[in-house]
Amino acid sequence: MFDTDDIPSNPTSNPHLGDMIDARLSRRSLLGGAAAMTIAGLVAANASSVAAAPAGRRPAVGAAPQPLLGFTGITPSSDDTVRVPEGYVYDVLIPWGTPLFPGVTWNEDASNTSADQAKQVGFNHDGMHYFPLDEGREGNRRGLLVLNHEYTDASQIYTAAQGSAITADAAGKEKVAKALAGHGVTVVEVRQLRNGTWTHVVGSKFNRRITGTTPMAFSGPVSASHPMLASSITPKPMGTLNNCANGTTPWGTSLTCAETWNGYFGTADATWTASALEARYGVSRTGFGYNWHVAEPRFDLAVNRNETNHFGWVVEIDPTNPKSTPVKRTALGRIKHEGATVTEANGRVVVYTGDDENGDYVYKFVGDRPWRMHRARRRSPLDHGTLYVAQFDAVGGGTWLPLVHGVGPLTVANGWVDQADVLIRTRQAADAVGATKCHRPEWVAVNEKNRDVYVAFTNGSGNAAPVNSNRNPNPYGHIVRIQEAGADNTALTFGWDIYLTAGDPQYDPTVPATQELFGSPDGLWIDDDGRVWIQTDISNSSQNLASRGYDRIGNNQMLVGDPTTGDLKRFLTGPRGCEITGISVTPDQRTMFVNIQHPGESTTFWNTASGAPTVTNPSAVSSWPNGGTSRPRPATVVIRKADGGRIGS
Ligand code: FEO
Ligand code: CA
Ligand code: CA
Ligand code: CA
């Protein structure tokens, strides 16, 4: 019942954002010079964004301007259901196990095989994007959903007879194969029916599963033939695991991110010890207890040591070409990527990413020339550019530090062989240049109206730095707003401020008394009108518990903020044991897709009340979405406004 991301593996004495926030808050009343300019700049930039109302919600001349958040917020909920505001409706789409191809059925007793799972929607839906399939209005009614599947739950995906343990026999191998097939990515065609609801298209030519065994290519400075990737068991790279958040490129591809991949590996060999590189990425003999290595030598650290180096990369997928090989884009670094948020500046791509572990860092990749120029020469814009890591100062400023071989400490004399070495050891390179330790950086969102960058720091402890909100421990998390110099996302310096401090003022007086209660922000997205959508992932060891200060916050939820006024409203609450993650809309924003991940997962509060979920009682905590005693299933919810209007308006 521990949260694996809370286990730090950063041994450096690099300063932490929490220390800096303490220092910064204590100086706030004395702010002068650059820091004051930064904050004033943020306010001014946002004020100007309000004045420029976007097309579609521009008020009539003489009419009072519409508030950005046009709905009535809902209260926290601990019920085993999804709630949305009055005037909104939702439907459940593509729950785990939904057949994507003819000839496969969903078996409620979890008796579907690994081969079935490879033709069904995966488990634990996460980051997601809707790609319209048609130009113009039809694109709002027909598209591809590309969604990640972060991990599988052994108490949910196996039958009562199979049990949850992995054994060293053919039955154990089949169970690992089913778990691998439940991971990765689903590409599925979806359509809106005449009655307004949505359905998926069984057997669409676009439907595809990418799993833990799909053949992959490597591109950028690290090639598949790099000696540190050599493997006798997987001579060709395969698979992506722990696919958390996502990104979308201007050329229409989807990025999927390997997050907490280290936990899948382990070994029974008591003589195995972690190298400095393995320790820095949290690779250990026991892993997280998945025990895949018991049945599958691919994941045995003593048998197949280099397999770990195949993971931690951003993977690019062409959703419209089901035959295309997914590509690991190594120039974006090897970390526990939460997501890969792409924006465009000066014609170049900029990709922001958080390394979600307590005490790790925020990164950005900046393309070296306009992405259209690379594409015209049949090169990937994601293979050519510079990776930077963030250093936050205590007075609201910061610097992007390059992770480039030969620059600063990353020299041959210091043991750095070449750029491939820097990228395989990204975390250690970032340690060496003096990056700032953060409280678990999760999603990054860019406000395309004014270029501000928002980062969700979900929670953390042990690392004091101002950008960690001056709370140490920081059980509720916060959202930091970065303003790049000159509102240019390729800039190498920035200002920062805290946009929201999450929490319950009953337990923490630093939380504004009238602010809506929420904790552990994770998913983050800013719509075209400037609304900041915030999804929470309170850990199962804290949800609903008074002893963790979470008893009034309810189940995980989604809120919406107005960055100018500071207004915050709750838009959705999820069922028991779930997290809310993944968000995308049709181009007209009249349909929104949101994922309910791990409903009914083992949760301290609910386990006490109703027993822990097991293979014999998978619905102990939740039976969402089907109710009764049915097995809980991660799923997408499709949200519409009853009057057909823009979501959030
Ligand atoms: Fe998979 Fe950091 O959330
Ligand atoms: Ca997440
Ligand atoms: Ca989670
Ligand atoms: Ca999370």
Side-chain angles (χ1 to χ4, degrees), residues 323-513:
K323 294 206 161 42
S324 58
T325 302
V327 184
K328 302 206 177 190
R329 293 293 175 198
T330 62
L332 274 55
R334 176 174 172 260
I335 55 173
K336 296 180 188 174
H337 286 279
E338 175 70 23
T341 303
V342 185
T343 192
E344 186 179 329
N346 310 323
R348 297 189 272 164
V349 286
V350 178
V351 187
Y352 292 94
T353 184
D355 186 355
D356 179 11
E357 190 172 286
N358 191 20
D360 264 288
Y361 309 134
V362 177
Y363 296 80
K364 81 169 175 183
F365 169 88
V366 179
D368 65 355
R369 59 187 67 188
W371 65 264
R372 287 182 177 82
M373 195 178 289
H374 281 305
R375 295 274 298 170
R377 291 172 189 171
R378 299 191 169 276
R379 296 190 304 224
S380 170
L382 299 175
D383 287 346
H384 303 276
T386 303
L387 184 65
Y388 299 89
V389 66
Q391 183 182 61
F392 298 84
D393 73 25
V395 291
T399 307
W400 293 105
L401 304 168
L403 301 178
V404 175
H405 186 252
V407 175
L410 305 177
T411 59
V412 171
N414 286 335
W416 298 93
V417 177
D418 54 18
Q419 185 62 18
D421 187 32
V422 168
L423 292 166
I424 291 171
R425 298 193 284 149
T426 299
R427 279 186 165 182
Q428 289 163 303
D431 294 343
V433 301
T436 303
K437 292 179 186 173
C438 297
H439 280 169
R440 296 190 51 197
E442 301 253 26
W443 288 45
V444 181
V446 177
N447 186 344
E448 296 290 346
K449 290 165 69 75
N450 61 12
R451 317 307 303 166
D452 286 353
V453 180
Y454 291 67
V455 187
F457 292 90
T458 199
N459 55 52
S461 62
N463 301 286
V467 80
N468 291 327
S469 85
N470 272 357
R471 291 188 296 194
N472 188 24
N474 177 13
Y476 297 116
H478 60 293
I479 299 172
V480 166
R481 178 168 43 195
I482 291 172
Q483 189 178 43
E484 302 275 25
D488 175 356
N489 295 96
T490 69
L492 300 185
T493 58
F494 59 88
W496 64 268
D497 201 2
I498 292 176
Y499 164 53
L500 286 173
T501 299
D504 182 342
Q506 174 175 287
Y507 296 103
D508 182 346
T510 68
V511 178

Side-chain angles (χ1 to χ4, degrees), residues 141-154:
R141 300 170 56 86
R142 176 175 174 259
L144 298 178
L145 275 183
V146 179
L147 62 150
N148 290 340
H149 301 289
E150 192 175 30
Y151 61 94
T152 53
D153 184 331

Side-chain angles (χ1 to χ4, degrees), residues 5 150 244 259 338 356 440 442 458 520-522 537 579:
D5 304 309
E150 192 175 30
C244 190
E259 194 195 16
E338 175 70 23
D356 179 11
R440 296 190 51 197
E442 301 253 26
T458 199
S520 300
D522 184 341
D537 180 17
E579 90 173 69

